[in-house]
């Protein structure tokens, strides 16, 4: 699910990073949340198999994601923000991690790499130093819920892949605007 809002400069590359996944079963749902830039024209011009594009008046991220959850048909759901990119093996790696989990995990995430507006790695600055320190604190013994509360090392909803049943169980996102 790709919630899109005013990211004309990035949306095409974002979608292509999903198309480049090594995991074969990909359903791409893009919901444009009332963009006022050229995003709608870019999205309308794309001819990509398995791509579904929906347009709506601006309702905010929570409502946009929840609409995507309603539309999604897959066993697993992943969120990708419209200015982020996926590594080609991301979906495959996370799905396989969930499939082999002895704890019947319903949620997976990974390390992230920060990139700037031109797609180049961020290797300095406050955000980089914070993320590096948070990732160093992760060990096999780390309590993941406590680590998320302490550092929010997951950084972004683009880092989430979860079993579809988890959405049904918890009911989607709440709007806290």
């Amino acid at each position: 699910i790709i919630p899109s809002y005013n990211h004309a400069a990035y949306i095409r590359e974002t979608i292509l990073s999903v198309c480049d996944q090594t995991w074969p079963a990909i359903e791409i749902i893009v919901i444009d949340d009332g963009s006022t830039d050229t995003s709608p024209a870019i999205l309308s011009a794309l001819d990509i198999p398995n791509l579904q594009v929906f347009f709506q008046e601006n309702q905010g991220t929570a409502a946009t994601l929840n609409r995507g959850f309603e539309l999604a048909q897959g066993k697993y759901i992943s969120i990708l923000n419209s200015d982020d990119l996926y590594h080609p093996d991301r979906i495959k790696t996370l799905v396989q991690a969930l499939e082999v989990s002895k704890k019947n995990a319903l949620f997976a995430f990974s390390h992230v790499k920060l990139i700037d507006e031109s797609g180049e790695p961020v290797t300095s600055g406050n955000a980089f130093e914070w993320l590096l320190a948070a990732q160093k604190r992760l060990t096999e013994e780390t309590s993941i819920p406590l680590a998320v509360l302490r550092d929010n090392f997951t950084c972004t909803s683009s880092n989430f892949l979860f079993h579809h049943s988890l959405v049904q169980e918890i009911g989607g996102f709440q709007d806290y605007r």
Side-chain angles (χ1 to χ4, degrees):
I1 298 169
I2 301 174
S4 178
Y5 181 72
N6 286 347
H7 280 145
Y10 311 109
I11 189 63
R12 186 175 188 285
E13 189 175 2
T14 295
I15 293 169
L16 292 177
S17 80
V18 178
C19 295
D20 291 341
Q21 290 298 295
T22 57
W23 185 255
I26 301 285
E27 170 189 44
I28 308 169
I29 299 170
V30 178
I31 302 172
D32 185 274
D33 191 33
S35 290
T36 57
D37 64 1
T38 60
S39 295
I42 293 168
L43 291 168
S44 295
L46 293 174
D47 184 20
I48 296 173
N50 302 323
L51 174 64
Q52 303 171 62
V53 179
F54 301 89
F55 299 95
Q56 66 185 28
E57 289 185 27
N58 186 266
Q59 297 177 34
T61 304
T64 303
L65 287 171
N66 290 337
R67 182 173 182 202
F69 295 152
E70 292 170 7
L71 296 166
Q73 301 296 309
K75 180 177 179 181
Y76 296 104
I77 296 175
S78 186
I79 298 169
L80 179 58
N81 295 324
S82 55
D83 62 342
D84 290 343
L85 302 171
Y86 276 169
H87 182 279
D89 292 325
R90 177 174 179 68
I91 301 293
K92 177 182 175 183
T93 301
L94 294 180
V95 168
Q96 288 176 340
L98 289 177
E99 295 284 334
V100 301
S101 169
K102 293 181 175 27
K103 298 179 181 180
N104 296 318
L106 298 174
F107 182 86
F109 56 88
S110 67
H111 287 285
V112 299
K113 290 182 181 177
L114 302 176
I115 58 175
D116 63 19
E117 60 277 350
S118 62
E120 296 299 317
V122 174
T123 57
S124 63
N126 290 340
F128 176 79
E129 297 301 327
W130 157 79
L131 181 59
L132 190 63
Q135 290 175 342
K136 284 181 180 177
R137 284 192 280 275
L138 292 176
T139 67
E140 290 290 323
E141 293 77 37
T142 301
S143 165
I144 298 301
L146 291 178
V148 169
L149 289 173
R150 176 185 171 153
D151 295 315
N152 189 19
F153 62 89
T154 59
C155 295
T156 171
S157 57
S158 287
N159 197 3
F160 303 152
L161 183 133
F162 39 91
H163 200 282
H164 201 139
S165 67
L166 185 59
V167 175
Q168 295 163 336
E169 184 178 327
I170 63 174
F173 286 96
Q174 299 295 314
D175 186 359
Y176 290 113
R177 282 201 273 179

